[in-house]
Amino acid sequence: MSVDALKAALPGYAKDTKLNLGSVTSTSQLSDQQLWGTVLACALATRSARVIGELAEEAGDNLSAEAFEAAKAAASIMAMNNVYYRATHLIGDDAYATLPAKLRMSVIGRPGVEKLDFELWCLAVSAINGCGRCLESHEKVLRDGGLSRELIQEALRIAAVVNATAATLEAEAALAPVPASV
């Protein structure tokens, strides 16, 4: 199970996705923990069993048990936060921003790994889930913490490529002919 298995599974028309998947996972300037935590959190955010299965094993080979759990926590908490904060933003009534969310999210304050790594994973998941408010918030924390725009961009590229991989493979599975019953 691996990045290579996903690359091999991608159809010819997705050559750019295949090349990008190899590139974002092999030429990154992110630390191994930042890279593989981002890959794992993004795989989980796609909800594609195939992509999760292939990438979780490789991420597990490159992450401590604590970082693996924290990447899963980032995907989980952002699945909730991205819906809530995107919705309050899209309603268009600024009064919602002044109301307390009343949602437990203590993992953001105590993720079990370096705070900036966790924030990076939250940012990448927020890109997949399309929450502008969360993207702005996590990007600010990352920039204030000293992370460069180039490293933040790498996480966004990983999110884009992992998402494209999942979308392509899920579409191919849906388009596959159904076997005739015997």
Side-chain angles (χ1 to χ4, degrees), residues 1-82:
M1 303 241 172
S2 67
V3 169
D4 288 337
L6 288 176
K7 287 170 41 183
L10 286 166
Y13 68 80
K15 181 180 180 182
D16 292 327
T17 301
K18 179 186 298 191
L19 293 172
N20 287 327
L21 183 60
S23 175
V24 298
T25 56
S26 66
T27 64
S28 180
Q29 297 301 306
L30 296 170
S31 71
D32 280 349
Q33 179 167 292
Q34 290 169 336
L35 168 65
W36 289 104
T38 302
V39 168
L40 178 59
C42 288
L44 293 166
T46 70
R47 299 182 177 103
S48 167
R50 184 170 189 181
V51 170
I52 293 166
E54 295 289 352
L55 295 178
E57 186 173 329
E58 193 159 352
D61 292 341
N62 289 282
L63 293 171
S64 67
E66 296 81 12
F68 194 91
E69 286 298 303
K72 293 190 315 182
S76 178
I77 197 69
M78 297 319 295
M80 177 184 71
N81 285 358
N82 292 157

Side-chain angles (χ1 to χ4, degrees), residues 22-179:
S23 175
V24 298
T25 56
S26 66
T27 64
S28 180
Q29 297 301 306
L30 296 170
S31 71
D32 280 349
Q33 179 167 292
Q34 290 169 336
L35 168 65
W36 289 104
T38 302
V39 168
L40 178 59
C42 288
L44 293 166
T46 70
R47 299 182 177 103
S48 167
R50 184 170 189 181
V51 170
I52 293 166
E54 295 289 352
L55 295 178
E57 186 173 329
E58 193 159 352
D61 292 341
N62 289 282
L63 293 171
S64 67
E66 296 81 12
F68 194 91
E69 286 298 303
K72 293 190 315 182
S76 178
I77 197 69
M78 297 319 295
M80 177 184 71
N81 285 358
N82 292 157
V83 169
Y84 178 79
Y85 288 107
R86 184 177 61 237
T88 60
H89 172 75
L90 290 173
I91 288 172
D93 182 345
D94 291 339
Y96 286 100
T98 66
L99 299 173
K102 295 184 182 178
L103 295 171
R104 183 178 168 93
M105 49 187 98
S106 60
V107 71
I108 293 174
R110 291 182 308 281
V113 294
E114 291 82 0
K115 179 148 177 63
L116 287 183
D117 292 357
F118 190 79
E119 290 286 335
L120 190 68
W121 305 338
C122 290
L123 173 107
V125 171
S126 296
I128 290 173
N129 292 336
C131 182
R133 191 160 278 172
C134 291
L135 283 165
E136 289 173 6
S137 174
H138 293 288
E139 192 271 347
K140 180 177 182 350
V141 171
L142 290 165
R143 294 286 296 135
D144 289 350
L147 213 63
S148 70
R149 284 182 177 87
E150 291 77 16
L151 292 179
I152 293 168
Q153 180 192 31
E154 282 201 44
L156 296 173
R157 289 175 53 234
I158 291 165
V161 173
V162 170
N163 189 65
T165 300
T168 302
L169 294 176
E170 293 298 316
E172 284 297 303
L175 291 170
V178 177

